[in-house]
Amino acid sequence: MRTIDWVDGAVELVDQTALPGRFHVIRIDTVDGLVDAIRRLAVRGAPALGVAGALGVALAARDETDPLSAAARLRAARPTAVNLAWGVDEALGHLDGGFEAVLGRALRIRDEDVEACRAMGERGADLVRELTGRDRVRIMTVCNTGGLAAVERGTALGVVRTLHERGQLTEALALETRPLLQGSRLTAWELGRMGAPYRLVADSAGPFLLARGHADAVLIGADRIAADGDTANKIGSYALALGARRAGVPFVVVAPETTVDLATPTGAGIEIEERDPEEVLSVRGARLAPEGAHALNPAFDVTPHDLVTAIVTERRVIRPDRGERP
Ligand code: MRU
């Protein structure tokens, strides 16, 4: 199954707002339709956003009178995951060659993502064994970093998948990931489909469960990794990193090279997406907070590099805890 693809002249993607209740593929043939799908998280996760951005430029090159302004709308749809801007810019670099050239680059980005995720899975699983010294491991993770967040296997959850396939996974502990519940809805769905043993835990239980020895490693994805190794990822990642450091548990970031943003020197320069307060005040449309309540809703946080044990990409392992930088 591919989460996002180009099929018969349009973008097809798994509608992640409908999961786990309904598996539903939507077909999008306009740039503004794709911008809307990105904003409402029908397609989400940094690597998938990179592919979406590039395929969106293909739609723009084919149909828009002003492809540059269409590309700017795509680029601005969500600010934190650098992969979106990267995918747009890569595809735009082929605009002179026309639609076919742009689509060709977009399809290569799709295929490169599949290869990168497979390589991260292998390298990450080897590293987990090395860091923990264990044949079988319990992994804690947050958000959804699986096939749904990429084209096929995913990043951090791709490592969990590889560990499971190797018979090395005792259990995955998935944080539910409020407010939009990517853990409960999407990661649990993926873990169930792969037949991996897992339990969901409330976000606030994560650091305490680490302190009580319930996980051997934390694996997370990334939306942007600054030049100093500071890592932006789903809100709640920083708390897990603090808990992991206190508990002496390895904290590993798994992300493709396209998530490394050398133009951003430190995490302080990463724009954090603020989403609609209503996402905090309600759960899936059911209002929980009293009338008149206000909310603050940062979608991501930044984990400082000194709390990161390792960054695994398709090409290398970087050890920020030993002073290495991307
Ligand atoms: O808001 P989302 O669901 O797009 O957030 C996604 C994440 O934070 C993921 O951890 C990140 O994009 C890495 S996906 C492999």
Side-chain angles (χ1 to χ4, degrees):
M1 178 200 93
R2 281 185 173 159
T3 297
I4 179 164
D5 207 349
W6 179 267
V7 181
D8 297 334
V11 179
E12 285 194 354
L13 50 90
V14 177
D15 180 0
Q16 301 191 36
T17 63
L19 286 170
R22 201 158 71 97
F23 183 87
H24 168 59
V25 174
I26 47 181
R27 203 171 151 76
I28 298 173
D29 60 5
T30 65
V31 170
D32 289 328
L34 190 55
V35 168
D36 178 61
I38 292 170
R39 286 214 181 107
R40 60 187 186 83
L41 310 196
V43 58
R44 46 149 296 284
L49 290 175
V51 178
L55 291 176
V57 177
L59 290 173
R62 187 187 64 189
D63 300 333
E64 298 277 336
T65 45
D66 183 357
L68 288 178
S69 87
R73 292 201 298 285
L74 280 164
R75 217 174 181 283
R78 293 189 77 192
T80 305
V82 70
N83 302 63
L84 176 59
W86 177 85
V88 168
D89 292 346
E90 277 291 311
L92 268 183
H94 292 75
L95 199 57
D96 286 350
F99 164 67
E100 291 294 343
V102 173
L103 180 62
R105 180 64 187 117
L107 297 181
R108 284 200 303 283
I109 290 173
R110 175 200 64 188
D111 295 344
E112 286 159 10
D113 183 68
V114 173
E115 282 311 306
C117 287
R118 192 163 281 283
M120 283 182 276
E122 296 296 326
R123 180 165 288 123
D126 291 347
L127 180 74
V128 165
R129 192 186 188 128
E130 184 188 317
L131 290 172
T132 63
R134 290 174 184 266
D135 289 338
R136 290 177 58 78
V137 288
R138 299 156 305 160
I139 302 293
M140 185 175 283
T141 190
V142 62
C143 198
N144 171 267
T145 59
L148 290 169
V151 177
E152 283 184 1
R153 290 177 68 91
T155 60
L157 203 65
V159 175
V160 171
R161 180 183 279 273
T162 302
L163 287 166
H164 176 56
E165 288 167 354
R166 290 182 181 181
Q168 293 172 357
L169 181 71
T170 302
E171 178 180 46
L173 288 175
L175 267 57
E176 58 178 355
T177 318
R178 275 284 289 148
L180 295 179
L181 299 168
Q182 288 92 331
S184 310
R185 294 189 302 108
L186 308 176
T187 298
W189 184 78
E190 287 202 46
L191 286 165
R193 276 169 56 106
M194 65 176 95
Y198 75 92
R199 285 183 284 180
L200 283 166
V201 297
D203 299 336
S204 45
F208 177 65
L209 290 173
L210 292 174
R212 283 286 167 102
H214 284 268
D216 304 303
V218 177
L219 297 182
I220 67 159
D223 287 85
R224 191 182 295 244
I225 300 170
D228 68 345
D230 290 355
T231 296
N233 191 54
K234 181 52 60 193
I235 192 76
S237 301
Y238 178 39
L240 271 191
L242 289 166
R245 173 54 53 90
R246 184 72 160 80
V249 171
F251 184 87
V252 178
V253 174
V254 186
E257 292 285 338
T258 49
T259 303
V260 176
D261 177 16
L262 296 177
T264 299
T266 74
I270 299 177
E271 182 182 348
I272 299 297
E273 179 183 6
E274 285 273 345
R275 292 187 62 86
D276 187 347
E278 203 52 45
E279 293 178 349
V280 173
L281 300 169
S282 305
V283 174
R284 307 224 90 191
R287 176 91 182 192
L288 298 183
E291 238 6 84
H294 300 284
L296 189 59
N297 186 14
F300 302 96
D301 59 26
V302 177
T303 300
H305 60 264
D306 59 286
L307 296 178
V308 177
T309 310
I311 298 169
V312 177
T313 79
E314 68 275 31
R315 286 216 317 260
R316 54 193 173 143
V317 174
I318 304 150
R319 295 293 301 261
D321 66 340
R322 295 182 181 162
E324 291 177 13
R325 299 290 173 259

